[in-house]
Amino acid sequence: MSQPVSRHDRVLPTIGIIALAAGIFAIDVITPLEVSVSILYVFVVLVASSIYGRTGILVAGLACEALTLIAHPLSPGDPWSHWSLIDRVIGVVGIAMSTLLVMRNQSTMDALQRSEAFLVEAQQLGRTGSVGWRDPRGEQYWSRETWRIYRYEPGQTAPTLAAMLARTHPDDRRLLEQTIEKAFREQTGFALEHRLSMPDGETRYVRIVTRIAREWAGEAGIVGAVMDITAARRAADELQRAQSDLARVTRATTMGQLAASIAHEINQPLTGVVTNGHTVLHWLNERTLNLDKARTTAERVLRDGERASGVVRRIQGLLMKTPPQATDIDLNELIGGVLDLLQTELRLRDVAVQTELAPALPAFLGDSVQLQQVVLNLVINGADAMSEVTSRPKVLVVGSREGDDGEGVVFVRDSGIGLDRETVDKIFSPFFTTKARGMGMGLTICRSIIEAHGGRLWASPAEPHGAQFQFILPNKAHADL
């Protein structure tokens, strides 16, 4: 695109235009040519269009028209003859038409420049460049923002797939190359996120979205957008870390609320260890020596020690600050571990637990600590919902089943006061709680955990009493983790 010429830079071109117009005027007045000399003023208008805007072009055109009319009575021969008049009219009309066409072209060019400037600014604000190419290995078209995203200077290198790959993270190069080759081979668009490795060692993230275009002289090519998603990706990572920290704090808070029952759960086997330890000493005493009974009692000591150690391990696992780790999860085993941890707490609340576990469930991909937190929260919420129930048994049903599409389903059903429609709509909102001393974050965190696993958590009224909370996890083939 042509750039505006400054006032200082217009001086010499303006002198040149005046000299050119004066020369044509002199030829028109002095030389008895039998052609329309005035038509040469069209060149003056064209030269003016490269320097001035629409107003300058109009002034140049009017000046040429004036010179043409002034030269008519001064030119050799009879200026009022039939052919002289026709010749002059041709010149005047030619200059007028040329001036109008040049002004119209200038308007189009100005509009195009404005459009391009807006596009450049919009792409820079949106951190989105454009790219297009006909041959996977051939030269591409890159917009200015695409050059910036890949941190090349226009003209520094040819815009090709090789230039893209040079900036692509080594672990992602083969994927990008195969994706582009497949798109050309199958004549289809693609969407791909991958990493860039910059010369300064920084790792950035881009998303390329393309489609097949057939508008280039009947040839198929690919056009697309290159989006710099580094800021969004880092923000998402920060959000995930913040959610992980919040979930850990919530787990710690829950453990604090269960401190009494957990202490009882640990104290029971430890009491057995102490008692059986004294018994072992008794059977090893010289006067009451009985090795068989001592061995049996020692085995009970080991069993109680393992039981106490298991409780501690489960609590430690829930409170440990570790990044999410996707492993194969046995849902029935996970449910059983949570119920073992809460058995004393539920017994103290007079809650009877029934399990409806589907046999032979496949393994599902997930983070065991996070999923334990979800089940733990749902079970405690179910027990809380039955705290004021006195006219019927407090029954909590915890179960699992396999969905129609192979997904895993876990449900917790209580026989409490239930949920009305308004509560169902709000219960997963942050800081909404039906408990007198609740924070209103437990179910919000649970839903975010399940959604991060590619699943869904929802609540519904249960029949004839209470509420039911269910979540699904996709099968391993469709897991997001």
Side-chain angles (χ1 to χ4, degrees), residues 191-268:
L192 177 68
E193 289 186 14
H194 67 90
R195 294 166 292 175
L196 300 181
S197 289
M198 295 305 172
D200 59 1
E202 182 187 10
T203 298
R204 301 189 68 81
Y205 298 85
V206 295
R207 176 176 173 80
I208 303 177
V209 180
T210 68
R211 68 175 178 85
I212 292 294
R214 304 183 186 278
E215 290 81 12
W216 293 342
E219 297 182 24
I222 284 182
V223 295
V226 181
M227 292 167 275
D228 184 347
I229 60 171
T230 305
R233 185 65 176 267
R234 289 174 180 169
D237 292 342
E238 287 295 329
L239 177 61
Q240 186 179 32
R241 281 192 287 269
Q243 288 178 335
S244 179
D245 289 342
L246 180 59
R248 189 170 63 88
V249 170
T250 304
R251 291 196 295 271
T253 303
T254 303
M255 292 296 103
Q257 294 170 348
L258 300 175
S261 61
I262 291 173
H264 178 79
E265 196 70 25
I266 297 175
N267 190 53
Q268 252 190 338

Side-chain angles (χ1 to χ4, degrees), residues 194-431:
H194 67 90
R195 294 166 292 175
L196 300 181
S197 289
M198 295 305 172
D200 59 1
E202 182 187 10
T203 298
R204 301 189 68 81
Y205 298 85
V206 295
R207 176 176 173 80
I208 303 177
V209 180
T210 68
R211 68 175 178 85
I212 292 294
R214 304 183 186 278
E215 290 81 12
W216 293 342
E219 297 182 24
I222 284 182
V223 295
V226 181
M227 292 167 275
D228 184 347
I229 60 171
T230 305
R233 185 65 176 267
R234 289 174 180 169
D237 292 342
E238 287 295 329
L239 177 61
Q240 186 179 32
R241 281 192 287 269
Q243 288 178 335
S244 179
D245 289 342
L246 180 59
R248 189 170 63 88
V249 170
T250 304
R251 291 196 295 271
T253 303
T254 303
M255 292 296 103
Q257 294 170 348
L258 300 175
S261 61
I262 291 173
H264 178 79
E265 196 70 25
I266 297 175
N267 190 53
Q268 252 190 338
L270 290 181
T271 301
V273 169
V274 173
T275 301
N276 288 319
H278 285 298
T279 303
V280 170
L281 291 177
H282 171 75
W283 292 122
L284 292 177
N285 189 282
E286 186 177 0
R287 290 174 300 174
T288 57
L289 181 64
N290 190 324
L291 293 180
D292 290 336
K293 290 186 177 181
R295 184 181 298 107
T296 301
T297 308
E299 289 173 353
R300 287 202 295 268
V301 171
L302 292 174
R303 183 195 62 203
D304 289 338
E306 286 293 333
R307 179 182 168 190
S309 176
V311 174
V312 172
R313 277 198 307 270
R314 285 195 292 272
I315 296 172
Q316 186 181 35
L318 283 168
L319 297 180
M320 190 176 298
K321 184 178 181 179
T322 56
Q325 296 178 346
T327 58
D328 284 347
I329 301 295
D330 183 327
L331 290 180
N332 291 343
E333 183 178 318
L334 184 140
I335 292 170
V338 172
L339 294 179
D340 285 345
L341 185 63
L342 295 176
Q343 60 179 331
T344 300
E345 176 72 15
L346 296 174
R347 187 169 61 250
L348 292 173
R349 297 189 185 200
D350 295 326
V351 174
V353 177
Q354 297 178 2
T355 57
E356 298 179 0
L357 304 178
L361 277 177
F364 296 90
L365 200 61
D367 182 273
S368 61
V369 173
Q370 291 186 347
L371 294 177
Q372 282 177 3
Q373 178 180 355
V374 173
V375 176
L376 181 76
N377 194 288
L378 296 181
V379 171
I380 292 175
N381 282 355
D384 288 342
M386 296 184 290
S387 61
E388 298 179 3
V389 172
T390 57
S391 59
R392 56 182 178 273
K394 300 177 182 179
V395 179
L396 188 71
V397 181
V398 184
S400 65
R401 59 183 174 84
E402 186 173 0
D404 296 335
D405 296 325
E407 69 271 16
V409 182
V410 175
F411 58 89
V412 177
R413 184 169 63 249
D414 63 67
S415 56
I417 58 176
L419 300 172
D420 55 36
R421 180 175 296 276
E422 183 179 355
T423 303
V424 168
D425 293 338
K426 295 180 179 179
I427 199 165
F428 293 103
S429 301
F431 307 112

